[in-house]
Amino acid sequence: ALRELMPMDIPDEGYRHIARCADLERLVLMYCRETSDRATEHIAALRNLQRYFASYTKITDRTPEILSEIDSLEEIELYGCPGVTDAGIARLSRLPRLREVKVSGQNVSAGVADVFPAGVKVRWER
């Protein structure tokens, strides 16, 4: 079974095929600059996803909202996504298995760490 996927240059609609990978545990969106919240909507059904990474995409606060419903998530990294703010990151604090959050971006502040339970390691970078 496919456990990790690092798609490149896949349009948002292509993520509906990734959503069929029921055993997928790690999704790394590097070099996916055109990826938006529509792609995240497609992968919302991945109930074994443990790690989600996105950098320099077009996602907004809608993506953390969607991710906050995937209870299997343990690690989330969001780097350089200008559409993501403190409010969006805060939605992730409800995830029951979350252990680590790494974020950076022009609209994310160090104070976002305050909304997470003590057991969650939060790393913020400017």
Side-chain angles (χ1 to χ4, degrees):
L2 185 61
R3 303 266 183 213
E4 182 170 35
L5 191 59
M6 188 193 286
M8 296 174 86
D9 295 326
I10 294 177
D12 285 346
E13 292 308 310
Y15 284 80
R16 65 176 187 230
H17 301 293
I18 292 172
R20 294 184 190 145
C21 303
D23 294 328
L24 193 66
E25 294 175 355
R26 293 176 297 280
L27 183 59
V28 179
L29 305 181
M30 195 179 295
Y31 310 111
C32 297
R33 294 186 187 273
E34 298 302 311
T35 300
S36 76
D37 300 323
R38 184 74 185 119
T40 315
E41 290 170 4
H42 287 301
I43 64 154
L46 292 174
R47 294 294 158 204
N48 292 305
L49 195 64
Q50 296 170 10
R51 181 171 186 253
Y52 178 90
F53 173 99
S55 64
Y56 303 100
T57 66
K58 292 183 176 179
I59 62 171
T60 70
D61 282 344
R62 175 79 178 117
T63 282
E65 179 183 348
I66 295 164
L67 295 176
S68 76
E69 298 297 323
I70 304 176
D71 287 347
S72 57
L73 279 167
E74 298 175 5
E75 296 176 42
I76 299 172
E77 296 182 54
L78 301 173
Y79 291 105
C81 301
V84 177
T85 69
D86 286 358
I89 300 298
R91 298 292 294 265
L92 301 173
S93 66
R94 70 146 304 277
L95 287 166
R97 295 184 189 165
L98 192 64
R99 294 182 291 114
E100 190 169 9
V101 177
K102 297 177 187 173
V103 293
S104 77
Q106 62 196 41
N107 296 309
V108 179
S109 71
V112 76
D114 297 340
V115 303
F116 288 89
V120 178
K121 179 182 174 185
V122 180
R123 188 165 71 195
W124 171 83
E125 299 173 7
R126 177 145 310 277

